[in-house]
Amino acid sequence: MDAIPSLDARALTNRQAPWDDFDPAAYLEHNYRTLREDDRQILAAVRDHFAGHFEGHPAPEGLQGLDVGAGTNLYPALAMLPWCAGITLFERSAGNAAWLRGAVREYGENWDAFWEVLREQPAYRRLADPRALLRETATVVQGDLFADLPERIADLGTMFFVAESLSSAYQEYQDAIGRFARALRPGAPFAVAFMENSDGYEVGEHTFPACKIERTDVLSGLREYAADTLAVSHIDVPGSQPLRDGYTGMLLALGRLRA
Ligand SMILES: C[S@@+](CC[C@H](N)C(=O)[O-])C[C@H]1O[C@@H](n2cnc3c(N)ncnc32)[C@H](O)[C@@H]1O
């Protein structure tokens, strides 16, 4: 009998990867136990992007925020908090969704360092109790962004390390960006972060696929959806703390959806 070909864990489509085996505790410990310099730079840029946008476009009360593929990262949601009556944390993995439900109820002290960066902007300083506000505001929705993410539900949105980190297939990278963009309403400001040139990553005992992308891929992926103000910046790997082998930095796209 022919041997069953074994799958290369770094060359998987989104459906083939073991999302329910994603270990939230291991991922949190590796990535967000402390505030890294690259995350600090990203957080500061996202903070200024959203605050600047809403200074120029005064918002009606009660906007809806969306973070797609939230994993165990709360800082995109915290960055949207001043403007939102509701924030949807959309996530495929059952384990990550369970982690998010617990974190929304009472988030850990590690996130206080992230909040301190946000507090450098007055819009965030006005919020006396971000823990209580996130509890009131955030809802965790478990689903597959390719099948279950509704269109035109959000007035501001984030998607961090997801489009390029859910499959090795370039087509799925592009499709994930399209699904995210279609979930936003016209004019919505957004922030999307990417690992540059990653070809896969380990979380706990498991390997997950990634698609190697560079700045030109971010620009071409977002161009049809974004207004002309789209800006993509590169965040270097901090010399003392590479997150993992085999990536060349992070990319951050800040923009707003075409009206
Ligand atoms: C590399 S992690 C990024 C997590 C988090 N956003 C962050 O900034 O660290 C990729 C995340 O995408 C989620 N994901 C993968 N495929 C997905 C899909 N089809 N729909 C929704 N989420 C998905 C994974 O479960 C995981 O939480």
Side-chain angles (χ1 to χ4, degrees):
M1 202 171 89
D2 290 342
I4 299 169
S6 64
L7 291 173
D8 174 352
R10 288 174 177 253
L12 297 179
T13 64
N14 188 247
R15 274 168 173 265
Q16 291 171 325
W19 299 110
D20 282 340
D21 294 328
F22 196 103
D23 179 343
Y27 188 78
L28 177 76
E29 188 61 36
H30 188 65
N31 294 281
Y32 302 120
R33 176 58 56 205
T34 57
L35 172 59
R36 297 164 47 85
E37 175 53 25
D38 39 16
D39 284 319
R40 194 194 62 72
Q41 287 178 37
I42 290 176
L43 185 55
V46 174
R47 169 198 75 196
D48 294 346
H49 174 59
F50 285 143
H53 175 88
F54 288 112
E55 264 171 36
H57 306 77
E61 297 284 302
L63 298 185
Q64 291 298 318
L66 170 70
D67 184 37
V68 175
T72 64
N73 186 2
L74 289 189
Y75 82 70
L78 293 174
M80 292 189 278
L81 204 49
W83 300 281
C84 292
I87 298 178
T88 300
L89 304 177
F90 191 89
E91 170 55 52
R92 174 168 183 164
S93 150
N96 285 347
W99 182 90
L100 284 163
R101 287 191 190 99
V104 161
R105 276 195 296 277
E106 184 73 27
Y107 65 73
E109 287 179 2
N110 59 306
W111 300 105
D112 292 343
F114 295 76
W115 185 253
E116 281 308 306
V117 176
L118 293 171
R119 272 179 49 83
E120 290 168 25
Q121 266 281 358
Y124 297 86
R125 276 205 295 281
R126 282 196 280 274
L127 309 186
D129 188 348
R131 268 191 184 75
L133 196 55
L134 191 72
R135 189 182 308 132
E136 288 162 22
T137 309
T139 306
V140 179
V141 174
Q142 193 188 346
D144 174 356
L145 71 87
F146 293 113
D148 309 318
L149 187 58
E151 297 193 358
R152 304 279 174 253
I153 54 167
D155 304 295
L156 63 167
T158 52
M159 183 166 72
F160 275 37
F161 314 117
V162 173
E164 81 300 351
S165 293
L166 53 60
S167 165
S168 58
Y170 194 79
Q171 185 63 51
E172 288 194 309
Y173 158 74
Q174 289 179 310
D175 290 349
I177 290 179
R179 296 286 178 165
F180 170 71
R182 281 193 286 279
L184 302 178
R185 297 193 179 116
F190 62 77
V192 192
F194 304 85
M195 300 298 285
E196 182 189 56
N197 282 318
S198 168
D199 64 358
Y201 56 105
E202 320 288 328
V203 181
E205 304 287 300
H206 295 274
T207 303
F208 291 88
C211 172
K212 277 192 164 208
I213 54 112
E214 299 185 342
R215 188 168 183 278
T216 49
D217 302 295
V218 174
L219 285 167
S220 64
L222 279 165
R223 189 169 287 129
E224 76 178 272
Y225 307 106
D228 293 344
T229 51
L230 178 68
V232 179
S233 53
H234 185 269
I235 294 95
D236 292 337
V237 180
S240 58
Q241 322 174 268
L243 201 50
R244 52 170 107 131
D245 289 341
Y247 76 111
T248 53
M250 296 175 180
L251 295 162
L252 177 65
L254 298 174
R256 61 187 163 80
L257 210 70
R258 266 184 202 190

